[in-house]
Amino acid sequence: MVAGQVVTASGILPADAQDAVLVGRVWSKAEDGPCPVLIRDGQVFNLTGIAATVSSLFEMPEIAARLKQASGLPDLGPLDAFLDSSAGQLLAPIDLQSVKAAGVTFADSMLERVIEEQAKGDSSRALEIRERLAPVLGGSLRGVKAGSEEARKVKALLQDMGLWSQYLEVGIGPDAEIFTKAQPMSPVGCGAKAGIHPISEWNNPEPEVVLAVRSDGVILGATLGNDVNLRDVEGRSALLLGKAKDNNASCAIGPFIRLFDEGFTIDDLRKVRVSLLVEGEDGFVMTGESPMEAISRSPEELTGQLRNRNHQYPDGAVLFLGTMFAPVKDRRGVGQGFTHEIGDRVEIHTPKLGRLINWIDRTDACPEWTFGLRELFRNLARRGLADKV
């Protein structure tokens, strides 16, 4: 947890937590290592006796039903003890899974990506470009189903107007943008610092729903994520996407993965509204909201483009579904839009999935990522859990 900042169990759990199957991951001082856990009635129950990794846990058949009926699990203590660091630390709720993201899946974010491209990463040009493009692109893109005949006609129209863009191609064309957001084991969890690369002067949070996908492509559940974005870096060139997206602590996931069951289904997920709250130490406040119903491709279609006969993930994957929230509220000056400042508190929330809370710092000031796959396997072997991976 970030020193001096308070996160509580009641503040991050889903509104109906008592009915939810919540899988998390903690670093337990008592176990001297990471543990997949079940969150039930505000308590943290150790699942390493069933599976030593979340990845392995999710490969088990009927895992939601099995966990719902599980009894006699070792109790590691109250969730609050992992939020105040007395019992350990709340981690991102994944481990071996690949961390992937879908880009440009909402009409509003499509427009902002085109603005970044036109501005070449210069935030001072964004307002003028937005005012010029919004009346044309905004109305053209809303409600268009990606890959449809209507989308093809919109593409032809915009090409005739000289307004076509690589971002519109992946936004409404047949092929989704699926990219690697972060390396396995690198995402930070709820309560941790989230990183902004020090070269960036124009950046923003991206509040998103994140799918948990089994190795065979089955969607098991969902959580929340912050796909931290460097608008000036990607705006200079789309080939800098890796530098804009994959940096130290630049991917936050959590607080828990909620597994699908009779009380929370993929159809319920389609209806969630993901809210964002940014509070700065300078008194700046910004809010926003992304309704999943506005997405241009379904979660199933995006997952199908992620995992198929041409591309597999034997350890499973998580998939960020994109955001429609592209902040334009001025912060440093008129027409310059939003950018983060050090110390910003970022809260991403939807009642069914809880709250993901992080504080912004420079990537070179966030704790270095040192506990990778080799360290994980060494730790599990030392604890006698190698056969549970």
Side-chain angles (χ1 to χ4, degrees):
M1 299 299 108
V2 177
Q5 308 290 0
V6 177
V7 177
T8 64
S10 62
I12 66 172
L13 285 166
D16 59 342
Q18 71 280 359
D19 300 320
V21 183
L22 301 174
V23 172
R25 189 164 169 267
V26 301
W27 181 279
S28 168
K29 291 181 179 179
E31 296 295 318
D32 193 25
C35 304
V37 296
L38 178 69
I39 308 299
R40 181 186 288 166
D41 298 326
Q43 294 293 116
V44 178
F45 294 94
N46 191 353
L47 296 176
T48 53
I50 299 174
T53 65
V54 176
S55 172
S56 297
L57 184 74
F58 284 176
E59 292 302 307
M60 295 181 173
E62 304 297 330
I63 187 58
R66 180 172 178 176
L67 292 180
K68 187 175 291 188
Q69 298 165 6
S71 61
L73 298 171
D75 190 343
L76 294 176
L79 177 57
D80 278 320
F82 289 89
L83 297 174
D84 66 15
S85 300
S86 59
Q89 182 183 357
L90 182 63
L91 305 174
I94 59 170
D95 38 47
L96 306 184
Q97 294 95 332
S98 295
V99 185
K100 310 293 284 189
V104 203
T105 55
F106 290 82
D108 284 9
S109 65
M110 288 183 223
L111 175 60
E112 288 301 313
R113 297 294 85 78
V114 176
I115 290 168
E116 288 169 16
E117 181 182 39
Q118 295 278 323
K120 306 300 182 185
D122 182 357
S123 63
S124 65
R125 298 185 59 213
L127 179 60
E128 176 268 323
I129 296 170
R130 185 177 298 110
E131 290 176 342
R132 178 164 51 87
L133 295 183
V136 179
L137 292 183
S140 299
L141 300 176
R142 286 187 177 86
V144 174
K145 179 176 173 54
S148 66
E149 177 63 19
E150 181 187 6
R152 188 193 65 77
K153 292 178 180 178
V154 170
K155 176 178 179 178
L157 172 64
L158 294 177
Q159 284 177 321
D160 289 343
M161 298 173 66
L163 293 176
W164 192 246
S165 160
Q166 59 196 336
Y167 293 105
L168 297 175
E169 178 64 48
V170 297
I172 63 175
D175 299 311
E177 179 191 20
I178 306 289
F179 62 91
T180 297
K181 169 58 184 178
Q183 305 310 305
M185 300 283 292
S186 70
V188 298
C190 182
K193 289 183 177 181
I196 297 292
H197 198 293
I199 67 170
S200 177
E201 294 294 331
W202 187 23
N203 46 67
N204 63 276
E206 292 193 352
E208 305 188 21
V209 167
V210 182
L211 300 179
V213 182
R214 201 167 63 190
S215 65
D216 61 0
V218 171
I219 305 171
L220 294 177
T223 185
L224 296 170
N226 186 354
D227 177 15
V228 178
N229 183 43
L230 309 183
R231 301 189 70 180
D232 45 2
V233 174
E234 185 182 353
R236 283 191 283 131
S237 170
L239 297 181
L240 293 173
L241 180 66
K243 191 174 187 68
K245 291 292 188 178
D246 186 3
N247 297 295
N248 188 39
S250 67
C251 177
I253 299 177
F256 315 106
I257 293 172
R258 181 168 185 172
L259 298 181
F260 292 139
D261 61 6
E262 64 275 8
F264 180 64
T265 68
I266 189 76
D267 288 329
D268 293 318
L269 188 69
R270 299 183 215 281
K271 301 171 186 175
V272 303
R273 303 178 75 89
V274 179
S275 65
L276 172 72
L277 170 64
V278 177
E279 297 177 312
E281 294 180 345
D282 57 357
F284 179 89
V285 176
M286 181 179 65
T287 61
E289 190 174 66
S290 287
M292 277 290 293
E293 289 179 326
I295 199 166
S296 62
R297 303 180 197 265
S298 71
E300 293 94 337
E301 180 187 348
L302 290 169
T303 301
Q305 294 212 24
L306 166 78
R307 194 273 177 206
N308 48 63
R309 185 60 184 86
N310 299 300
H311 209 148
Q312 295 83 48
Y313 298 89
D315 298 311
V318 291
L319 178 61
F320 283 72
L321 292 182
T323 184
M324 71 173 290
F325 185 70
V328 298
K329 183 177 180 179
D330 291 336
R331 189 170 197 178
R332 293 181 177 176
V334 175
Q336 294 191 31
F338 172 83
T339 197
H340 271 304
E341 301 289 357
I342 301 305
D344 281 353
R345 179 184 182 275
V346 181
E347 176 183 303
I348 298 169
H349 171 246
T350 192
K352 289 290 186 180
L353 298 176
R355 279 184 176 83
L356 174 62
I357 301 171
N358 299 97
W359 282 265
I360 296 298
D361 207 338
R362 288 167 48 132
T363 53
D364 56 0
C366 294
E368 288 189 346
W369 172 40
T370 59
F371 195 90
L373 297 179
R374 285 186 301 159
E375 288 300 316
L376 172 65
F377 294 143
R378 287 171 182 160
N379 180 279
L380 295 178
R382 177 174 51 78
R383 293 159 58 197
L385 295 170
D387 63 334
K388 297 288 187 180
V389 176

